[in-house]
Amino acid sequence: MTRAGSYIRHKEKLPWLLDKAACKAEQHYESLLASWESFQVFIRLIRYWLSGTYAVPVQSVLMAVGAVIYFVSSFDLIPDAAPVLGLVDDVCVINSAARANLRVISGFRNWEVSSNRPGKV
């Protein structure tokens, strides 16, 4: 959460983090199937928050950014290089952050649909 707070305070760093996360997610799509949609929602939600287009509670942004940082980081509980299990901990973090923010995610997805923005950033 401390690193997430640093990214939120220094918003100019967030686009780089989100681009890196999106590239890694594309490379590991098959391992992320269970949490793919949640992760993609986090990336879009953070981008819209960053642009000032969509308001999100700070705690939710911190959790989403924290999940993205954990996913991108090579220093985590199970190293990503470990066959099969490498991304299990990343998926658990993404799913935990998504479960904790179900209302925020639901509101954001409704906003995307109602404002004709699904998947666009």
Side-chain angles (χ1 to χ4, degrees):
M1 290 306 262
T2 302
R3 281 183 70 191
S6 173
Y7 275 92
I8 288 175
R9 283 189 301 281
H10 302 283
K11 292 179 182 177
E12 68 279 359
K13 294 180 181 181
L14 272 172
W16 172 85
L17 176 69
L18 297 174
D19 290 343
K20 186 172 180 179
C23 285
K24 184 175 177 182
E26 288 291 331
Q27 293 171 350
H28 299 285
Y29 173 77
E30 291 173 357
S31 299
L32 292 173
L33 285 177
S35 59
W36 178 259
E37 179 61 27
S38 295
F39 191 71
Q40 296 305 310
V41 168
F42 282 161
I43 289 176
R44 292 193 314 271
L45 180 113
I46 295 166
R47 287 189 196 276
Y48 280 120
W49 171 82
L50 184 60
S51 72
T53 308
Y54 187 76
V56 181
V58 174
Q59 188 67 20
S60 295
V61 174
L62 279 170
M63 289 182 83
V65 170
V68 171
I69 290 169
Y70 192 86
F71 176 73
V72 169
S73 177
S74 56
F75 300 106
D76 50 33
L77 191 58
I78 303 171
D80 294 345
V84 183
L85 297 176
L87 294 173
V88 169
D89 59 327
D90 297 13
V91 167
C92 289
V93 169
I94 292 166
N95 288 343
S96 294
R99 275 192 304 277
N101 290 286
L102 284 176
R103 231 177 248 159
V104 170
I105 289 171
S106 178
F108 173 70
R109 294 191 74 197
N110 288 337
W111 173 82
E112 278 187 309
V113 170
S114 69
S115 60
N116 243 353
R117 298 177 189 256
K120 297 178 185 175
V121 181

